[in-house]
Amino acid sequence: MTITMLILVLAGLCGIGRSTPLCDWSKQLEIRLSAMEDRMETVEEHGKVMPQPSVQPTCVTRWSDISGTEDDALSYVQCEHNEVLTGCSSYLPGSAHGTRDGEYVHTGKDGKPACVARNGADGTGVKAVARCCNWPEMSCIYETGPRSLSDDDDRSTVTCPDAPDTYLTGCSSSTYWQNMDGATPDVDEGKCYAYNGGFGNGVFSEAVCCTSPNLICKDEWSEKSGGEVNDRASVHCDSGWTMTSCNVHSYFRNTDGAFIDRENCIAVNGGNGQYVYAIAICCQ
């Protein structure tokens, strides 16, 4: 017999107004059970109307001022104090197409990283583009691969640590001699590849490796752009994924960089009749 059935039986025996120790105990038990049921209903209702809040990652794109026009002139941008730098790219807005020397992350004496863009010889200035995220419990390290050889398509490789919840969130390339093909990420393997272009003198791969509980990342490639100057390729992350970086890759050297605009990763062609790809890394 359940407690509820017992209360019903006792209520029938006691009747209205009858007072005995057994009847008094029955009434007290009924009152307590009724109060417990009310509390359980309140908890259920609050669970539906007011779910436990969770902190969602948010990312923004931050731009530097334009660099000077001399060879190897630098521009840089940092994230805010509550953000982590998850990706670094650069963009050449002027008319000297294909003259970027790429981008990299530099950590200063204060321990704060900056996304740095380098202008190339005869360039008209470049802008650094940082991806800055407010991501729960995320920490990042910044690695540079060895300089590649100088033949066309020779590559530099850098690998993120093989550690739990650690992924490649940013992948880019830099050089001192222009003529680079950009970079491609292999998120599953945690590797970033930078490619030397024809007539180049070597490139460096630049990886951002981030760790956060239950982090998962993947890369997304655009369709190829057109072959004219300023033609663009674009790709975005799937619903529920957050873009942590955006970069450009070409098999034919001339690129004017990449940036994130309204959650679209955009790569810009520097011309020469060939095409570029936009490559985003998306995480959740």
Side-chain angles (χ1 to χ4, degrees):
M1 180 181 292
T2 65
I3 293 177
T4 303
M5 292 175 64
L6 177 60
I7 291 173
L8 291 173
V9 170
L10 291 173
L13 292 174
C14 292
I16 300 174
R18 187 174 180 182
S19 179
T20 67
L22 183 60
C23 291
D24 292 343
W25 174 82
S26 171
K27 291 175 183 177
Q28 289 297 323
L29 181 59
E30 185 176 0
I31 291 170
R32 291 178 182 178
L33 285 175
S34 176
M36 186 180 296
E37 288 175 354
D38 289 342
R39 286 196 297 271
M40 290 178 68
E41 289 175 359
T42 300
V43 169
E44 282 187 4
E45 182 179 353
H46 285 177
K48 293 174 183 177
V49 177
M50 300 177 63
Q52 183 67 27
S54 60
V55 179
Q56 297 297 323
T58 57
C59 298
V60 297
T61 301
R62 302 199 182 280
W63 291 74
S64 74
D65 294 330
I66 195 164
S67 74
T69 57
E70 63 272 19
D71 189 21
D72 295 331
L74 303 176
S75 62
Y76 72 92
V77 61
Q78 293 179 307
C79 297
E80 299 294 329
H81 73 279
N82 61 331
E83 300 168 338
V84 289
L85 176 60
T86 62
C88 176
S89 59
S90 63
Y91 174 56
L92 190 163
S95 59
H97 302 288
T99 57
R100 289 182 316 120
D101 279 353
E103 63 280 329
Y104 59 94
V105 176
H106 173 74
T107 302
K109 293 181 180 179
D110 61 356
K112 190 171 182 179
C115 173
V116 183
R118 183 186 290 122
N119 190 57
D122 302 318
T124 52
V126 291
K127 293 185 175 185
V129 190
R131 189 62 165 174
C132 301
C133 296
N134 189 332
W135 202 295
E137 300 180 58
M138 177 173 278
S139 61
C140 302
I141 61 173
Y142 309 95
E143 304 282 0
T144 299
R147 176 182 168 187
S148 74
L149 298 177
S150 56
D151 287 338
D152 189 20
D153 295 331
D154 279 340
R155 71 185 188 186
S156 167
T157 304
V158 61
T159 304
C160 289
D162 184 9
D165 301 325
T166 298
Y167 275 86
L168 178 73
T169 65
C171 175
S172 55
S173 63
S174 68
T175 183
Y176 292 96
W177 307 281
Q178 299 177 6
N179 296 328
M180 59 182 180
D181 290 346
T184 62
D186 184 341
V187 173
D188 291 338
E189 296 295 326
K191 296 181 183 294
C192 173
Y193 303 105
Y195 297 87
N196 191 58
F199 308 106
N201 200 24
V203 296
F204 300 90
S205 52
E206 311 286 348
V208 181
C209 309
C210 296
T211 303
S212 181
N214 304 312
L215 183 67
I216 301 174
C217 300
K218 62 180 181 177
D219 54 84
E220 297 283 358
W221 286 61
S222 71
E223 300 293 328
K224 65 184 181 182
S225 72
E228 300 302 317
V229 170
N230 238 8
D231 280 347
R232 302 185 174 199
S234 178
V235 67
H236 62 270
C237 295
D238 293 333
S239 177
W241 294 76
T242 301
M243 192 176 299
T244 59
S245 66
C246 168
N247 234 288
V248 60
H249 176 63
S250 171
Y251 296 100
F252 311 101
R253 292 194 326 243
N254 280 15
T255 72
D256 283 350
F259 54 87
I260 299 171
D261 180 38
R262 301 175 188 175
E263 298 309 308
N264 291 301
C265 171
I266 298 171
V268 185
N269 196 357
N272 79 6
Q274 301 298 337
Y275 49 85
V276 299
Y277 294 95
I279 308 171
I281 296 181
C282 307
C283 300
Q284 61 175 203

